[in-house]
Amino acid sequence: MSDANKKEDPLNGREKPMEEPQEAANEEAVETKGGMFFMSEESGEEDSKEEVSSEELIIIDPNVEDLDLTHSRIASMANLACLTRVQTIGLRQNLIKQIEGLTAVTTLRELDLYDNQITRIEGLSTLVNLEILDLSFNRISKIEGLEGLTRLVKLFLVNNKISVIENLGHLTRLEMLELGDNRIRTIQNLENLTHLHSLFLGKNKITKLQGLDTLTSLQTLSVQSNRILKIEGLDKLEELEELYLSHNGIETIEGLDHNLRLTTLDLAGNRITRIQNISHLVELQEFWFNDNQLGNWEDLRQFENLKNLQTVYLERNPLFYDSSSPPKPDPSYRRKIKLAIPWIRQIDATLAR
């Protein structure tokens, strides 16, 4: 962990950044940016209850290879067709409602449309060289329109309105799939994604770990903040290194017999009363177990053979508090952990001394 005072959370990797207020449409302006020419015009868009200006896109350099037009009040992609050499297009935080104008842009390798107003995945069928697609923070309700993107390696669909995992079976080169913060209830239709290294499904409504048997290359799995009650369905994931299952309804640590390469295990915010069935995880470096129901110090014997362990989070378990009424943090809490795991480097968010 690079920062001793910050517990990393894979769900926060693509959180929506703080936006600057958009300018009111009370004046005309002309400017250039990234090989583009903009002319301001009024827009009827009322997402923020105030009228904002939008920009008309006019190409002045058709040979540009990298475009970054973040937060530029762009409402239409219609004028991108003349780009003959473009490799990456970044259109984050704009006012785009429809994916269009890309039919002839076949050189494109990365398309970033994070934080717009898109409701449908379309207009991408000719982008045969596309490797990275980010449609996070939009209004998409269905996974579709990806049929031609057989070279896709990374797909981000965080914070949309997707309820079903579907239409991904042809993306056999996919290595990273982010579907966090949607409305998904079932892990399904992932059988063909055998090259997948990272799968993020946090902040959905998933009740069971299933449909993962063929994902034998998976190294990172995040199913945080769902409705999981049992650790199961992971037997085939022998390459798994990071498992994030915090903020579910899990009561027992189990089902990890074959996950010998785990380096990070996140079980924070569950209902678990015992630390057990992890003494075989000798590669473990990070164990996050805060906000559970652990009250027995004897359970820390599970760590005796885990000599690679560097960080433990145990705060706000019953053993974190003393016997006073109301209970207060036990002043000997950190000392007891240090005695049980002398080689530990970090206890909760603070370096061990």
Side-chain angles (χ1 to χ4, degrees):
M1 187 173 295
S2 59
D3 184 346
N5 295 314
K6 181 179 180 183
K7 177 175 170 183
E8 293 183 5
D9 184 341
L11 292 179
N12 293 335
R14 308 193 68 79
E15 283 188 351
K16 192 171 179 179
M18 191 73 70
E19 297 181 10
E20 298 176 0
Q22 292 179 319
E23 299 175 8
N26 57 7
E27 61 180 356
E28 293 185 356
V30 177
E31 59 178 327
T32 60
K33 180 179 181 182
M36 296 292 173
F37 174 85
F38 299 101
M39 182 162 293
S40 188
E41 58 182 21
E42 289 188 356
S43 168
E45 177 60 39
E46 269 194 88
D47 238 40
S48 61
K49 297 184 180 182
E50 292 184 7
E51 287 189 353
V52 295
S53 62
S54 64
E55 302 289 354
E56 180 184 359
L57 217 56
I58 301 173
I59 307 298
I60 59 174
D61 182 7
N63 294 316
V64 66
E65 294 186 4
D66 301 294
L67 294 179
D68 182 5
L69 304 173
T70 299
H71 206 161
S72 298
R73 303 190 303 274
I74 296 168
S76 173
M77 301 172 60
N79 295 329
L80 297 174
C82 69
L83 296 173
T84 58
R85 299 176 60 185
V86 68
Q87 300 283 310
T88 66
I89 294 178
L91 289 167
R92 286 187 165 216
Q93 294 178 288
N94 281 289
L95 306 172
I96 297 167
K97 294 183 177 181
Q98 182 178 3
I99 303 174
E100 58 184 341
L102 297 172
T103 303
V105 191
T106 57
T107 58
L108 194 62
R109 294 183 180 276
E110 180 175 351
L111 177 60
D112 189 346
L113 290 167
Y114 177 109
D115 192 11
N116 278 278
Q117 300 167 14
I118 297 165
T119 58
R120 183 179 179 185
I121 305 175
E122 58 185 338
L124 303 174
S125 59
T126 62
L127 304 185
V128 295
N129 292 304
L130 198 67
E131 297 176 354
I132 302 173
L133 176 61
D134 193 341
L135 293 170
S136 301
F137 289 89
N138 278 282
R139 303 170 185 179
I140 297 164
S141 59
K142 182 179 176 65
I143 302 176
E144 59 183 339
L146 303 174
E147 291 75 17
L149 309 185
T150 56
R151 295 191 180 184
L152 206 62
V153 175
K154 296 181 180 181
L155 176 59
F156 304 97
L157 292 167
V158 179
N159 196 275
N160 278 283
K161 300 179 180 181
I162 297 166
S163 58
V164 179
I165 303 174
E166 59 185 336
N167 300 321
L168 296 173
H170 63 290
L171 302 178
T172 56
R173 296 190 183 185
L174 205 63
E175 296 180 1
M176 177 178 287
L177 176 60
E178 289 212 20
L179 290 167
D181 204 359
N182 277 283
R183 303 173 181 180
I184 297 166
R185 294 180 180 272
T186 304
I187 303 174
Q188 61 184 342
N189 300 321
L190 298 174
E191 293 83 4
N192 294 342
L193 307 186
T194 56
H195 287 88
L196 205 63
H197 291 168
S198 301
L199 175 60
F200 297 90
L201 295 166
K203 295 186 181 179
N204 279 285
K205 301 178 180 181
I206 297 167
T207 58
K208 186 175 183 179
L209 291 172
Q210 61 183 358
L212 301 169
D213 285 352
T214 63
L215 307 185
T216 54
S217 297
L218 204 63
Q219 296 175 356
T220 300
L221 174 63
S222 174
V223 198
Q224 296 173 311
S225 300
N226 276 275
R227 301 172 182 179
I228 304 295
L229 300 178
K230 183 178 181 180
I231 304 174
E232 59 185 333
L234 306 177
D235 291 349
K236 304 295 184 181
L237 307 185
E238 295 182 0
E239 301 296 317
L240 197 64
E241 297 178 0
E242 300 180 20
L243 177 60
Y244 302 93
L245 293 173
S246 62
H247 301 288
N248 280 283
I250 298 167
E251 296 183 352
T252 303
I253 303 177
E254 59 187 332
L256 302 174
D257 296 343
H258 300 278
N259 309 115
L260 302 181
R261 297 196 178 188
L262 276 178
T263 61
T264 298
L265 179 58
D266 178 12
L267 295 169
N270 280 283
R271 304 171 184 172
I272 304 170
T273 58
R274 300 292 306 274
I275 297 178
Q276 57 188 348
N277 302 321
I278 65 166
S279 60
H280 62 292
L281 302 177
V282 296
E283 299 296 325
L284 200 64
Q285 299 175 18
E286 305 273 340
F287 184 69
W288 303 348
F289 198 74
N290 52 283
D291 300 286
N292 275 283
Q293 301 299 319
L294 180 66
N296 190 350
W297 283 101
E298 293 295 315
D299 284 5
L300 270 63
R301 289 184 177 179
Q302 284 281 309
F303 300 131
E304 287 179 353
N305 296 323
L306 308 187
K307 301 303 183 181
N308 290 306
L309 193 65
Q310 300 178 18
T311 301
V312 291
Y313 279 83
L314 297 173
E315 60 188 343
R316 293 185 299 278
N317 277 278
L319 56 66
F320 174 72
Y321 300 101
D322 62 18
S323 58
S324 63
S325 182
K328 299 176 182 179
D330 185 347
S332 63
Y333 160 77
R334 293 178 62 84
R335 181 177 60 83
K336 291 177 180 178
I337 294 177
K338 189 68 176 176
L339 288 172
I341 322 170
W343 60 90
I344 203 71
R345 295 184 181 180
Q346 182 177 325
I347 299 171
D348 301 325
T350 307
L351 291 176
R353 293 181 175 83

